[in-house]
Each structure stands twice: as structure tokens, then as C-alpha cells.
Amino acid sequence: MKEIIAVVRINKVSATKKALVQVGAAGFTALKVMGRGRLVEDKAVIAERRATLLALAQKDDYNTEKLITKFLDGTRLFPRRMFTVLAHDEDVPKIVAAIIEANKTDYNVGDGKIFVLPVLDAVRVRTKESGDAAI
Amino acid sequence: MIMVRAIVRPDKKEVVLDELSSAGFHAATVVDVVGRGKQKGIKFGDVIYDEIPKSLIMLVIHDEDKEDVLDVIIRHAKTGEAGAFGDGKIFISSTDEVYTVSSGVAGL
């Protein structure tokens, strides 16, 4: 048994849910979280989106610029959705591939991370089944 | 790789995150949680508060960085020199695989 923890963009939640159903992992728990990733060292990666967001901003002062840059280069915490999925060992690659497929964007950064953790045991409350049968 | 889940006081969250960042561990996920500990919550007169707000900081690191990360968290999440009840707990679990969605590459 494995626990798959995926931190994804909030606007990709419905796509992720759909993808999970399609690979046969319908059960999940989702949480609203705040997070940040690795610092963006190559400013060229975020230059284009920074320009778009700056054009959308109403006030054109220094603070707005600083805020947008901080959001994009990863120094600030930003909202994300955290999915927790329990899976049988053999289903893990399939589910990971589906989550990656659903969440990939052209922005190069900020698409999220997926962690796979071992699980010692699971119990279904209704039937008291434990182990692989509980998933 | 290991996953570190640290439950700290909400007012220590910022300083712990800043210090983790300057120690080279920038990536983290933060959740606001409520819970109680060994002291069974806080009791004022007849009222027991057993849903105390805390912040959960979650990060995945390489095995060899464990001591550094623990040191940073414990040093900065503590209240005063001696520490106090309610400063929090740190849980460590193993992580088999990590994937970055944007590149699909495995590894931290």
C-alpha cells in the first residue's frame, strides 16, 4: 500500500479529480494548503507571465511589481490544494502519470509536487477489513 | 527521502519558514490545523480548550539533511530558552518517490 500526496494548482482540482476517476482511484482526501517550491533562479522562466500580470495590475507602483515578482519566483507562500490518495503498490505509476498529465502547464514552474509514501496498514471502518482489502 | 511534518505555534510559523529558507530548504507546504497534545488541551476554570490552533509545516528532504532541518525547526519553534508546553511536535516518515509535475522528472 502507498499513500500518494499531490500538491496541485487550485484551478486544476477538477481536472485532477476527473483524472483520478479515470484511472480507477475515486477515493481521495483534499485539503486547502499554502506552500512554496524551489526558488526560481532563472528569471527568464517567469519573465513572460510577470509582464502579463503587470499589465493586468491596476496600480503601476513599486509594491505591485514587488508583490507579483515575489509570487512568481516562489519567495511567498501561495494557495494550493493537497490531494491524499491511497493506492495498491501496482497502481502507483498509473496514478502518478495521470496526476502529472492533468496538471502539466506551459509555465515551466509551479505545477506542483507528488510524494509517494509507504503505508503500514489501513482499516475500513464499516467492515473492519484491514490491509489491501481496505483500499 | 523523508517527509518532515512539524506542528508549531502559528506565531512561530513565519520565523521557522524564513530560517528554513535561509538554511537552504525553501520548499514547504503549510496547513492550519487544530489539535491537542499530551497536556489534554488547556484548562481555564471549568472550560477545557482541546482544539488548539497550530500550523503544520510539511517538507520532503534528503535523508542526510534531517539533522539540519530538525535543528532549525527546534531552535526557532521553541518558546524561550527552555521551551514550553504547546511548542509542538515533529513527525518524520519515509518517502519512496517524488515527482515534479511540470517536468515529470522523479527526484527532489
Side-chain angles (χ1 to χ4, degrees):
Chain A
M1 268 175 298
K2 299 274 190 233
E3 181 182 19
I4 302 168
I5 298 182
V7 183
V8 304
R9 287 179 197 275
I10 283 186
N11 59 358
K12 290 285 186 187
V13 168
S14 50
T16 310
K17 284 195 282 191
K18 243 179 240 162
L20 284 176
V21 169
Q22 263 161 20
V23 292
F28 68 89
T29 311
L31 277 177
K32 286 177 185 170
V33 300
M34 301 290 277
R36 62 185 184 192
R38 205 183 296 155
L39 277 172
V40 177
E41 261 137 34
D42 182 10
K43 299 286 178 223
V45 176
I46 56 169
E48 194 187 320
R49 289 189 69 212
R50 188 167 165 271
T52 341
L53 284 177
L54 273 177
L56 284 172
Q58 302 203 326
K59 269 194 299 177
D60 195 22
D61 61 8
Y62 174 68
N63 276 333
T64 322
E65 196 184 326
K66 207 167 84 178
L67 203 66
I68 288 174
T69 316
K70 273 174 138 186
F71 257 116
L72 289 179
D73 71 4
T75 32
R76 277 181 74 100
L77 290 169
F78 34 83
R80 284 286 185 266
R81 197 60 62 92
M82 185 169 92
F83 281 87
T84 310
V85 188
L86 277 184
H88 299 294
D89 288 359
E90 63 272 20
D91 295 335
V92 170
K94 208 164 67 180
I95 296 172
V96 167
I99 298 176
I100 290 178
E101 184 58 39
N103 283 283
K104 228 172 173 166
T105 64
D106 299 330
Y107 301 137
N108 293 324
V109 288
D111 286 350
K113 273 268 192 299
I114 301 171
F115 309 118
V116 182
L117 283 72
V119 173
L120 287 180
D121 202 359
V123 178
R124 175 170 286 136
V125 174
R126 178 168 52 90
T127 55
K128 295 183 192 145
E129 288 169 293
S130 64
D132 274 322
I135 298 177
Chain B
M1 284 162 293
I2 52 173
M3 177 179 280
V4 179
R5 280 182 266 218
I7 297 174
V8 300
R9 292 183 190 275
D11 49 320
K12 297 280 185 190
K13 176 180 84 178
E14 290 296 320
V15 57
V16 171
L17 283 172
D18 287 349
E19 295 298 333
L20 279 174
S21 179
S22 36
F25 308 101
H26 188 74
T29 303
V30 181
V31 198
D32 291 330
V33 294
V34 292
R36 59 182 185 197
K38 242 189 253 170
Q39 289 75 37
K40 301 178 181 171
I42 307 169
K43 197 174 175 192
F44 288 110
D46 286 341
V47 192
I48 300 168
Y49 296 92
D50 64 355
E51 290 191 4
I52 304 164
K54 298 276 176 216
S55 286
L56 178 104
I57 301 174
M58 184 184 111
L59 62 162
V60 175
I61 51 171
H62 292 292
D63 294 5
E64 61 267 27
D65 295 329
K66 185 174 134 186
E67 296 304 320
D68 294 348
V69 171
L70 286 186
D71 178 61
V72 170
I73 297 175
I74 290 172
R75 200 146 32 93
H76 294 95
K78 228 185 209 179
T79 323
E81 270 301 295
F85 287 143
D87 282 347
K89 276 271 189 295
I90 302 175
F91 306 113
I92 295 183
S93 32
S94 62
T95 303
D96 292 348
E97 297 162 47
V98 177
Y99 299 92
T100 304
V101 173
S102 50
S103 56
V105 172
L108 272 183

